[in-house]
Each structure stands twice: as C-alpha cells, then as structure tokens.
Amino acid sequence: MSEIFVIVEHRLGEIRDITFEMLWKAGELAQKLSYTVTTIILGHELNSIVDNISDRADKIIIFDDERLKNFNADIYKEILSGLIEESKPTLTLIGNTSWGMELAPCLSVKTGLPLATDCIDIMFKDDKFIAQRQMFNGKIFSNVSFAESKECLLTIRSGVFPKDKIGDRQAEIIQKDFPLTDIPLKKNFIEFVETAAGDVDISQAELLVSVGRGIGEEENISLIKELAEALGGVVSCSRPIVDKNWLPKHLQVGTSGKSVSPKVYIAVGISGAFQHMSGASGAGIIIAVNKDPKAPIFRTADYGIVDDLFKIVPVLKEKVLELKKG
Amino acid sequence: MDIVVCVKRVPLTEEVDLVIDEQKKGIKKDQLAFILNDWDNYAIEEAIILKEKYGGTVVAITVGNEDDEEVLRRSLAMGADRAIRVEVSDISRFDSLGISKILSCVVKDLPCDLVFTGVLADDDNCGIVGIMMAENLNMNHANMVTAIEIEDGKARVTSELEGGLGEISLIDLPALITIQTGINEPRYVSILGIRKAAKKELKIMNLADLGISDEELSPKTIIEEVYLPPETEGAQMLTGDPDKIASDFIEILTKKGVME
Ligand SMILES: Cc1cc2nc3c(=O)[nH]c(=O)nc-3n(C[C@H](O)[C@H](O)[C@H](O)COP(=O)(O)OP(=O)(O)OC[C@H]3O[C@@H](n4cnc5c(N)ncnc54)[C@H](O)[C@@H]3O)c2cc1C
Ligand SMILES: Nc1ncnc2c1ncn2[C@@H]1O[C@H](COP(=O)(O)O)[C@@H](O)[C@H]1O
C-alpha cells in the first residue's frame, strides 16, 4: 500500500504545530486514497511527543539517540534518505520552517526526488499529485507537478491546514537504532538565543497600529506613533522596518517575530505576506491601509482603505483627537 | 576570505496588475521594473563587510540573460571584485535544481571559503537554490543566517528560527550560507558608482563552457499552470472622502470596544 511520510518537527521537547497540520493533510489524503500515514521522529527522550501523535498515524518510526538531541540537517538527511530508499513513500511532508527549508533541499538532491516548497495544498488529479503554491509574494498561484517520479518531497506552509485530528488511527511503534557509523559533524550546535527581547509586549496589546515598508522613510514612523497614541494603542511593525533598524525586533509581528491577538489590528503600508499575517491571525479584526488595491492583505483583512497612507493617516488621527476632545 | 555570492534579478510587483502569459506558465514581464533580489542585496553587503575585515575577493554570479547583468553591475559597484554571468536566454526552462547545478558548476572551479545566496528569491519564492548547491558541492551549510563571525577557520553563525528564537552554531569552512534580510545595512549605490564599476571584469560563460548537458538540467518539477489568486470575500472597503472614511473607521473601533 502507498505510504505518506510526515517528518515530525519538535523543539525543546515540544511538538511544533506544523507537525499536526501536516498530519491533518496526510490523514485527509490517506483517507481519500487508501494510503497509510507514517511519521518519523528523530530526537532524544521522545515519549511525550510520541504519545501526542500516536492516534494520528499508522506507523511511528522513532530514532531516539543522544546524538539527535539537536536538529542537524545533515544527520536528518542521512537517516531519512535511507528510510525513503527503503520504503519509497509516495509523498514525504516536511514543514516549510527554518529547519525544514534546510533539510528538504539537501534531502531532495541526496535522494534524487523532486521537491516543491512552501505548498499551501496538495491535490490528486488525473492520477498524479499536484502541489499548489504561491509566487510573487502571493500575487500569483501556481500548480506544480513532478516529472517521471512516482515519489516526491513537499514542504508545507505553516498555518494552512487545521491542527485537528482526522480519522482514527492507532500507530504501530517502531524503534530504530541510530544507523550512522560516521556522523558528518559539519556543523555544531552551540545554543539557542532569544533575539526579540524588549520592554513592550505587543502580544498583550488590545489595539495595535502596525507599520510596514510603505512608510518609506524612518522619520515618517512618527506619523504612525501619533496615530497609535491618539487611539491609545501600541505600535508594531513588519519585518523590513526591523531589518532597517527603524524599530526594535520585539515590535515585529510575524513568523520570525511575535504572534499577537489584539481586538483590532491596523496595518498601514503592509502588503500582507503570509509570514507577516500568520503573526496577526489572532486579531479580532484587521483594518488595512494600502494604496495598492491588489495588495494581498485585502484578501485577509476585514476592512480595507485603499489610499495613500500619507493622505489618510493624518485625517484619521485628527478625527480621533477631535472626538476625544468631545 | 574568498567569497562567492549568487545574485538574481527579480521583477518589482508592488502596485502592478500582474498578467498571466499565454502559455499560463508565468507572468508577462515586459512592462515590469526589475531590481536585485532583496535577500541577495544583503548577501553582497555581507560579503563585502567580511572582505573589508579579512581581505580576499568577492565574486558575484548570476544565471540569466543580458538584462540580468544589471544586478552584477550593481554588485560590482557595491564592492565585488568580479562578476560572472552564465548565459541562459530563457531561465524558465529550468527548475531550482537546474539553477543550483549551473551555479554549482561555476563555484566548484573558484577559490572560495564562503558561498552566499539569499534565503529566497522574490519571484518564485522557492527558497531552494542555496542549500541544493551546498549538497551538490558537498559543502557545509547554514540556513537563514542573521549573523556571521569568523573565528579560526570556522564561521559562528546565527540561524533564525520561528518566534524570535535564534540558533547559534559553528561550521567549518568552506561553507554555503543562505543570508536572511536584516543581517546588515546594505550600502547605497549611486549611478556614478555603477558607471565607475564598469571597468571591473564581467565574464560571460555558457552552459557548454561549463560542460553541462541539457539533459542534466531537465526539470524535475513542472509548473502546470499559474493563475491569479482565487477570489475570496476579501475586506470590506471603506470608501468616500477622507472624512467619511475616518468616521467609518472610528465607528468600527467603537464597536470593537477599543475607543472610549
Ligand atoms: C523566513 C522568513 C521569515 C519572515 N518573517 C517575517 C515576519 O516575522 N514578519 C514580517 O512582517 N515579515 C516576515 N518576512 C518577510 C515577508 O516575507 C515580507 O517580505 C514582509 O512581511 C513585507 O513587509 P511589508 O508588507 O512591510 O513590505 P512590502 O511587502 O514591501 O509592502 C509594502 C506595502 O506598502 C504599500 N505602500 C507603499 N507606499 C504606500 C503609501 N504611500 N500608502 C499606502 N500604502 C503604501 C505597498 O502597496 C505595499 O503593499 C519573513 C520572510 C521570510 C523568508
Ligand atoms: N538565476 C539565478 N542566478 C543566481 N543566483 C540565483 C538564481 N536563482 C536563485 N539564485 C540564488 O538562490 C537564492 C534562492 O532562490 P530560490 O531558491 O529561487 O528562492 C537567491 O536568493 C539567489 O541567491
């Protein structure tokens, strides 16, 4: 029977959400196509992780070894390529995360299997698998197929599939020994560091006014600060603003920044890249101000204002101040 | 410290209505403006910073057509010593694996301690080419790097993880590193600077020079179709004059209980 591999992602003893999301999609495809779902866990001291997913897969293959304590793409690649060679899974799903984005390309070259990255859906049409993905930052969608190969690797975007359980499975658990005799220790893990520490905690704010690259110049950020102040809200931002050192890292919303859940999220001059929006998905409502009516943010925002921010933001601020004066 | 940097020219797609081409395999590009891929801009800057500190050379490479030389000239103006373009008239013939093979073929004959690529190209949004090159070249690698320090023939790198976490590791050189935005502040390039850099060497190679056959480059992933995003309900637009928009805006905030 055909098999789907799901590579479990975990960090500091916890399963990452992307694992559940991949298991959901794998479960859905398996139900439809009568495939089986096999998850693979590499790490050390994995009991609680195994317990968490044992009803979501048909088989769990575990490599539990001190040498697997920290993620290392080269070691993962060596072990997984062996397994893939042996079982020839039709699909192998990996998270499109920082780690997965390093693992998948080298695994693809090593196994010779085609790779589609950052997939937002997987479809089975006319007897073949099609991966749906985005280009040009979400302004274009594309369907990708795989030449000559019955098997392929896919990395899956975080947050596109539910985390829920689908179907009812009881996993057979298979413990394997660390198979490598000589470890390609090309890279040595040193430590994790917190890169976004700071005094303001945007994850607790009720109202965020978030500024993006559309602001143009550093000195214009005062415009956003004034609006936030008038509204009694807190300023946050997209990544390019932090990259340019215009605002500190702890104010960044998104996958590599913070997740926020204000009642209202006002996004000004932000295009709506998924890496940004995933951090704002907990917001009650999103109001977007952008001069490009085709900006992807208008697809996910609740309210939109299509205008030059330099025209509209000062008016919004004045109106709010007027109202407050009574 | 000899460093090779892979750079790509990509279209600017902000505020334009993208149009799908007749074959539905890509977009029409003749009306678009192009720039150096943002990530690659940071990669060139990082290479030049390291060169300024430790000496050595910086070589910029692109795979593309004559128009794509623009990003090489820009890289030279920023401080790269030489540039190489691999002549490929229609890059859409190749997938990321193919591009990675071509680039690897160029890099393997160059002296290098470090190879830099961007994390992602702003057009295909694949994020594949860099790490595939590392595997092709059997080179150490680190992904999504936001800081590099060189110590005793090793690189101490910070890789960005999700949620404001960084992972520090030590890798032996030579190594391939994919560069994440924000690692530095790319320098400004003037038109004059670009003109001055015209004296620097820009070498053109073709696939035959590299000894790669078309067969080796046949794509494993195939774009079946590209299309505009499916319609969604989308945002409810606030329209009218600025005053009207502002009143609607305040009404929404009041309803949500964030305005006293
Ligand atoms: C691994 C990885 C992790 C990432 N993590 C994050 C993250 O955590 N957070 C994050 O934000 N991004 C993140 N990114 C980057 C993300 O992909 C986008 O590049 C980024 O979010 C874009 O920011 P932006 O919307 O401010 O800029 P742009 O995409 O450049 O958008 C600017 C917008 O402003 C509009 N605009 C311009 N001028 C005006 C004007 N005068 N008035 C009104 N509108 C105007 C434009 O129409 C445009 O839509 C990450 C990327 C990668 C690869
Ligand atoms: N045609 C190309 N020429 C040179 N470098 C490229 C090319 N395509 C991709 N790259 C490099 O690979 C990185 C990732 O691209 P991609 O895998 O296409 O997202 C880019 O940031 C570039 O550094």
Side-chain angles (χ1 to χ4, degrees):
Chain A
M1 199 167 5
S2 300
E3 204 174 358
I4 303 174
F5 270 15
V6 175
I7 313 303
V8 173
E9 181 162 331
H10 57 96
R11 186 196 295 159
L12 297 166
E14 295 215 11
I15 296 199
R16 317 256 321 140
D17 283 350
I18 180 67
T19 304
F20 295 116
E21 294 160 12
M22 291 191 289
L23 282 168
W24 183 90
K25 186 66 202 178
E28 191 214 41
L29 287 168
Q31 252 175 13
K32 211 160 38 196
L33 304 167
S34 301
Y35 283 16
T36 61
V37 178
T38 300
T39 64
I40 295 130
I41 315 181
L42 285 73
H44 189 44
E45 294 170 344
L46 298 165
N47 289 346
S48 71
I49 291 175
V50 174
D51 289 347
N52 257 311
I53 55 172
S54 60
D55 56 354
R56 298 183 187 221
D58 302 292
K59 216 193 269 178
I60 301 182
I61 301 178
I62 302 168
F63 292 87
D64 188 332
D65 193 284
E66 171 79 41
R67 287 164 285 188
L68 290 167
K69 201 162 157 230
N70 297 303
F71 173 82
N72 179 308
D74 284 312
I75 298 178
Y76 268 53
K77 172 196 74 190
E78 293 295 332
I79 296 178
L80 293 173
S81 59
L83 274 186
I84 288 172
E85 205 103 298
E86 199 179 298
S87 309
K88 304 223 169 351
T90 310
L91 305 177
T92 297
L93 310 188
I94 300 171
N96 192 64
T97 56
S98 183
W99 286 342
M101 286 172 77
E102 185 170 10
L103 169 63
C106 51
L107 189 59
S108 166
V109 171
K110 172 101 187 167
T111 56
L113 296 182
L115 165 68
T117 53
D118 199 16
C119 301
I120 55 171
D121 207 355
I122 308 167
M123 296 160 296
F124 189 72
K125 264 193 206 154
D126 306 329
D127 234 29
K128 63 180 180 190
F129 283 98
I130 303 277
Q132 187 185 43
R133 56 186 310 282
Q134 297 177 341
M135 305 166 77
F136 302 102
N137 307 310
K139 284 197 153 186
I140 297 285
F141 279 49
S142 73
N143 287 352
V144 172
S145 69
F146 307 96
E148 292 159 28
S149 180
K150 284 199 213 62
E151 298 127 45
C152 61
L153 311 178
L154 302 158
T155 69
I156 307 297
R157 179 179 293 183
S158 298
V160 290
F161 300 121
K163 291 190 258 297
D164 313 337
K165 195 172 109 172
I166 186 164
D168 208 17
R169 298 170 191 274
Q170 223 9 277
E172 172 198 355
I173 292 182
I174 303 166
Q175 300 271 359
K176 296 225 179 193
D177 289 331
F178 188 80
L180 310 179
T181 42
D182 110 74
I183 315 165
L185 258 197
K186 298 171 160 184
K187 186 174 170 193
N188 285 296
F189 172 84
I190 309 281
E191 61 178 342
F192 290 119
V193 281
E194 194 64 54
T195 57
D199 46 351
V200 181
D201 186 2
I202 54 171
S203 68
Q204 298 301 315
E206 295 231 310
L207 173 69
L208 286 171
V209 185
S210 213
V211 52
R213 181 149 42 194
I215 198 72
E217 302 289 336
E218 182 170 14
E219 59 261 27
N220 299 338
I221 291 190
S222 56
L223 210 62
I224 303 300
K225 287 186 173 156
E226 286 162 21
L227 177 62
E229 200 173 312
L231 288 164
V234 175
V235 173
S236 58
C237 64
S238 69
R239 176 171 188 130
I241 303 298
V242 175
D243 286 346
K244 289 181 208 285
N245 275 327
W246 293 353
L247 286 174
K249 182 86 180 169
H250 65 269
L251 299 185
Q252 181 188 317
V253 173
T255 44
S256 55
K258 294 228 165 101
S259 290
V260 297
S261 48
K263 284 184 182 158
V264 178
Y265 187 77
I266 304 170
V268 185
I270 292 177
S271 63
F274 79 93
Q275 292 102 336
H276 182 79
M277 298 317 286
S278 70
S281 62
I285 59 163
I286 296 175
I287 307 176
V289 180
N290 197 304
K291 66 175 176 181
D292 180 1
K294 292 277 164 66
I297 194 159
F298 290 126
R299 292 169 58 80
T300 41
D302 301 277
Y303 297 96
I305 300 172
V306 179
D307 203 347
D308 184 341
L309 72 91
F310 297 105
K311 282 197 202 129
I312 193 73
V313 171
V315 182
L316 297 178
K317 183 190 85 184
E318 284 314 316
K319 277 272 178 181
V320 171
L321 289 176
E322 248 171 58
L323 188 87
K324 288 208 163 163
K325 265 193 225 137
Chain B
M1 193 68 33
D2 293 322
I3 309 176
V4 178
V5 188
C6 303
V7 294
K8 187 178 192 187
R9 180 170 165 268
V10 296
L12 263 176
T13 58
E14 192 176 290
E15 278 186 90
V16 282
D17 283 338
L18 297 180
V19 182
I20 308 289
D21 66 18
E22 279 78 23
Q23 293 78 37
K24 295 198 178 147
K25 301 284 186 199
I27 58 164
K28 290 198 175 154
K29 293 185 178 153
D30 44 342
Q31 302 293 322
L32 300 178
F34 285 79
I35 52 162
L36 172 61
N37 184 34
D38 203 21
W39 280 268
D40 306 351
N41 193 26
Y42 285 95
I44 282 281
E45 178 64 35
E46 192 63 19
I48 291 158
I49 291 173
L50 291 178
K51 175 190 140 172
E52 285 168 352
K53 215 160 155 186
Y54 302 103
T57 58
V58 174
V59 181
I61 317 180
T62 198
V63 177
N65 61 27
E66 208 176 327
D67 293 338
D68 294 319
E69 278 178 18
E70 187 187 312
V71 293
L72 294 179
R73 281 192 288 271
R74 192 191 154 85
S75 304
L76 291 170
M78 284 174 79
D81 300 281
R82 346 189 252 120
I84 301 172
R85 175 171 70 86
V86 180
E87 162 61 31
V88 160
S89 52
D90 177 16
I91 202 166
S92 67
R93 278 171 47 215
F94 307 115
D95 62 1
S96 305
L97 176 66
I99 301 293
S100 83
K101 282 184 181 166
I102 297 171
L103 287 166
S104 303
C105 264
V106 181
V107 172
K108 79 174 182 335
D109 294 329
L110 296 172
C112 71
D113 304 293
L114 285 167
V115 181
F116 289 167
T117 70
V119 165
L120 201 72
D122 225 359
D123 48 2
D124 60 28
N125 297 168
C126 281
I128 296 184
V129 168
I131 300 297
M132 278 196 172
M133 284 176 70
E135 186 67 18
N136 294 333
L137 294 161
N138 195 21
M139 217 182 234
N140 297 342
H141 47 91
N143 194 38
M144 232 181 262
V145 166
T146 55
I148 304 174
E149 281 168 59
I150 304 295
E151 30 183 82
D152 316 326
K154 290 177 198 274
R156 188 188 176 87
V157 296
T158 307
S159 290
E160 176 180 292
L161 304 180
E162 292 73 22
L165 205 63
E167 178 184 16
I168 298 180
S169 44
L170 206 56
I171 52 174
D172 289 351
L173 302 184
L176 184 143
I177 293 176
T178 74
I179 302 288
Q180 175 63 308
T181 56
I183 187 171
N184 51 43
E185 290 184 50
R187 66 198 66 194
Y188 174 75
V189 178
S190 66
I191 307 264
L192 187 69
I194 292 182
R195 235 182 270 146
K196 273 194 186 148
K199 285 199 233 61
K200 290 185 180 173
E201 180 191 340
L202 196 165
K203 184 169 155 189
I204 297 166
M205 305 178 86
N206 55 41
L207 295 178
D209 297 332
L210 293 168
I212 325 179
S213 65
D214 257 27
E215 201 169 44
E216 277 174 83
L217 298 174
S218 71
K220 292 197 175 210
T221 54
I222 294 159
I223 295 186
E224 295 273 326
E225 187 189 358
V226 307
Y227 46 99
L228 294 174
E231 290 289 331
T232 56
E233 228 173 84
Q236 183 184 329
M237 295 298 177
L238 309 186
T239 52
D241 59 47
D243 262 5
K244 163 85 166 49
I245 292 177
S247 327
D248 289 348
F249 172 79
I250 288 169
E251 198 186 314
I252 296 165
L253 297 189
T254 313
K255 251 197 235 150
K256 276 286 160 186
V258 288
M259 288 272 298
E260 306 84 58

